[in-house]
Amino acid sequence: MTKAVLWTAKDAEKATGGKATGNWQASGVSIDSRKAAKGDLFIALKGPNFDGHKFAQTALDNGCAAAMVSDTKTLGNGAPALVVDDTLDAMVRLGLAGRERSNAKIIAITGSVGKTGTKEALKYVLNEQALTHASPASFNNHWGVPMSLATLPVAAEYGVFEIGMNHPGEISPLVKMVRPKVALITTVVGAHTEYFRDEAEIAQAKAEIFDGLDADGTVILNRDNLHYFALARRAKELGIKNIKCFGTDAMADYRLFEANIVTNGSAVRARIGGRDIEYFIGCPGEHWVLNSLAVLACVDAIGGDVLRAAQDLADFTPPAGRGETHILPLPNGADGTYTLIDDAYNANPTSMMAGLSVLAQSKPEGSGRRIAVLGDMRELGDAAQKLHADLHQPLVALGIERVYTVGPLMANLAETLPGELHAGHFDAAEDAIDPIKADLQADDVVLVKGSLGIYVSKIVSALKSPDGASGAASKS
């Protein structure tokens, strides 16, 4: 099927103030030449350690419609291009123009944990009702948000945008670009504590998402969260009257009554929009149950079909790196299979406990064991060593049978774990691959979790590799 035109040369020229060469039409936008699709406008971003201009001609050779550049020296004569003074600034202007021409109902999501998973679930259920656009992957920062806006189709009826931060003041300018109708804060907990004095300061930074909301917009908050009242008060100070909440609290507008968590998901009984309903979400874990309430609250606030969305949650499964489950053959040709829970994208103390709870709730068959492969949790400041060491208590209490630790911070946990529980410590993810593979037995359930920068995703990739790639082969 032919993709719709997203930007013409003339439209992009007008939006950015640049100068177009050629009469091209782009059906998408990309900043990575390796992932650029045929027909994309490739934007050559430039930073301290990279320069996309080096790959602009390659992107064109591979089928991109045009390249946005500030320097044409790397392009061939007559190459289709959009020449601008600064490519990042021009991408921001392109994103602003994309938002200005759109009539989509927009939802913006932030929170200490659960942003991306909630965004993906919301995208899934809304897309079953009408054309829905959402931020790809975790495009939630100063380049990801304008990039997501620049790819917003004109015909989209709904838009879901993730907005992240790790310092104060980062959310406000981004949400003012997005201008949402609904603003959701999933929860506020101790993440990025290296850059904040306490959780209250984190809550203040998350509340910046209200800055881009019209007075007639809707704020959706976690009623069970310690910072609910402070967040609601801040919204009221900004003149926002529509404040809704979700959770187990009796005063929650979207209230959880009961959840039965099983291996492949969770059966939920809740009150949604004044109506008692039952539904199933294809993601195991208490955190996903609460996320599902937030999803349905957003659907209700945006005017979507809540009952249909609740029904469609049954077919939604965790995204890659955020609890995605795989049944895999044992490596090295051994008989049997094991279960891999890929939660390797990121980690903080709250999401770590959520992942461990999912592992604990699994029920391995036969002699299968619950195995946790845990990488460093980063950006925790002065409390980092203690927060890692203290994980030994829930690991013992939850009945996890074996624990592998990866990274310098997880060494603090390795020192506190009982000898029979600790399977090994490794400085780097690559070093853990072969020992883990050699240890696997039929019916084991393995959770892999850690912050992005410790690269435990390499362990996931190696375990999923059909050719049984070794630790050395998995390096990149």
Side-chain angles (χ1 to χ4, degrees):
M1 186 174 70
T2 303
K3 292 183 179 180
V5 174
L6 185 64
W7 294 102
T8 66
K10 183 177 180 180
D11 290 340
E13 190 178 59
K14 181 180 179 181
T16 62
K19 179 64 177 177
T21 60
N23 188 26
W24 47 265
Q25 295 181 332
S27 55
V29 179
S30 177
I31 57 174
D32 187 338
S33 61
R34 297 165 299 180
K35 299 178 181 178
K38 184 177 180 180
D40 279 358
L41 169 63
F42 173 73
I43 300 179
L45 294 181
K46 191 174 183 178
N49 301 312
F50 65 90
D51 187 352
H53 289 79
K54 296 178 181 179
F55 310 103
Q57 186 58 53
T58 300
L60 292 176
D61 293 341
N62 291 337
C64 281
M68 180 193 291
V69 296
S70 58
D71 184 351
T72 60
K73 292 178 182 178
T74 60
L75 300 181
N77 292 332
L82 180 64
V83 185
V84 298
D85 291 334
D86 182 283
T87 51
L88 178 57
D89 288 347
M91 185 172 72
V92 169
R93 292 193 291 272
L94 196 67
L96 290 170
R99 177 64 184 94
E100 185 64 32
R101 70 184 183 182
S102 173
N103 291 319
K105 297 177 180 178
I106 302 293
I107 300 166
I109 301 174
T110 194
S112 301
V113 292
K115 294 185 296 294
T116 303
T118 302
K119 177 205 68 182
E120 291 296 329
L122 192 51
K123 174 189 175 183
Y124 182 84
V125 298
L126 285 176
N127 208 40
E128 294 296 304
Q129 302 184 23
L131 179 61
T132 301
H133 174 72
S135 310
S138 290
F139 279 32
N140 61 17
N141 60 10
H142 67 287
W143 58 262
V145 170
M147 171 71 177
S148 300
L149 286 169
T151 55
L152 175 61
V154 177
E157 294 189 31
Y158 299 117
V160 188
F161 291 84
E162 179 181 340
I163 301 180
M165 63 91 188
N166 53 24
H167 290 83
E170 291 180 339
I171 289 179
S172 185
L174 299 179
V175 76
K176 288 176 181 177
M177 294 174 61
V178 173
R179 293 187 288 118
K181 185 70 175 176
V182 177
L184 164 66
I185 300 179
T186 57
T187 193
V188 176
V189 295
H192 309 301
T193 50
E194 183 177 357
Y195 308 112
F196 295 90
R197 288 176 299 183
D198 51 33
E199 278 191 12
E201 197 171 78
I202 296 174
Q204 291 176 11
K206 295 297 183 184
E208 292 174 23
I209 199 170
F210 306 150
D211 293 348
L213 195 67
D214 291 336
D216 62 348
T218 301
V219 165
I220 298 175
L221 303 172
N222 186 335
R223 180 81 187 200
D224 298 340
N225 186 247
L226 175 66
H227 305 282
Y228 166 76
F229 291 103
L231 292 170
R233 182 170 61 250
R234 177 56 181 158
K236 291 176 181 177
E237 289 172 354
L238 294 172
I240 300 168
K241 298 178 181 179
N242 300 325
I243 302 173
K244 302 293 183 180
C245 54
F246 64 95
T248 61
D249 190 281
M251 298 299 292
D253 301 290
Y254 304 89
R255 181 185 177 190
L256 173 66
F257 290 137
E258 183 181 12
N260 180 23
I261 299 169
V262 293
T263 302
N264 63 337
S266 304
V268 182
R269 187 169 64 87
R271 177 165 295 163
I272 305 294
R275 179 185 299 186
D276 292 358
I277 67 171
E278 295 181 0
Y279 61 93
F280 187 86
I281 177 171
C283 306
E286 296 176 7
H287 58 300
W288 276 109
V289 172
L290 288 177
N291 288 349
S292 73
L293 295 179
V295 167
L296 297 178
C298 288
V299 172
D300 194 27
I302 213 75
D305 187 332
V306 176
L307 294 180
R308 181 178 175 183
Q311 182 180 10
D312 289 334
L313 282 171
D315 298 321
F316 176 75
T317 54
R322 293 175 172 84
E324 186 180 33
T325 300
H326 306 270
I327 307 298
L328 300 171
L330 288 171
N332 305 319
D335 292 335
T337 62
Y338 69 100
T339 300
L340 172 65
I341 303 173
D342 173 14
D343 206 355
Y345 184 78
N346 220 335
N348 58 49
T350 299
S351 67
M352 183 66 78
M353 282 305 305
L356 291 174
S357 296
V358 171
L359 177 62
Q361 289 161 355
S362 68
K363 296 178 173 60
E365 296 181 359
S367 58
R369 304 159 298 171
R370 300 173 183 88
I371 300 174
V373 180
L374 306 180
D376 286 355
M377 301 178 290
R378 296 193 168 183
E379 297 182 1
L380 296 179
D382 295 339
Q385 293 183 349
K386 183 177 187 301
L387 289 170
H388 283 78
D390 287 350
L391 286 173
H392 80 277
Q393 296 170 341
L395 284 164
V396 171
L398 290 170
I400 309 303
E401 281 88 4
R402 290 178 74 72
V403 179
Y404 288 89
T405 52
V406 180
L409 290 171
M410 276 297 170
N412 296 280
L413 171 61
E415 293 175 359
T416 63
L417 284 172
E420 68 277 9
L421 180 59
H422 190 223
H425 176 76
F426 304 90
D427 292 332
E430 298 95 324
D431 301 330
I433 292 171
D434 287 337
I436 292 170
K437 288 169 61 177
D439 186 33
L440 288 172
Q441 299 176 9
D443 302 320
D444 283 347
V445 180
V446 182
L447 168 74
V448 181
K449 186 164 184 65
S451 286
L452 186 63
I454 198 65
Y455 300 112
V456 288
S457 57
K458 293 183 178 181
I459 299 173
V460 172
S461 298
L463 293 177
K464 289 168 60 179
S465 174
D467 58 1
S470 68
S474 70
K475 291 183 180 180
S476 63

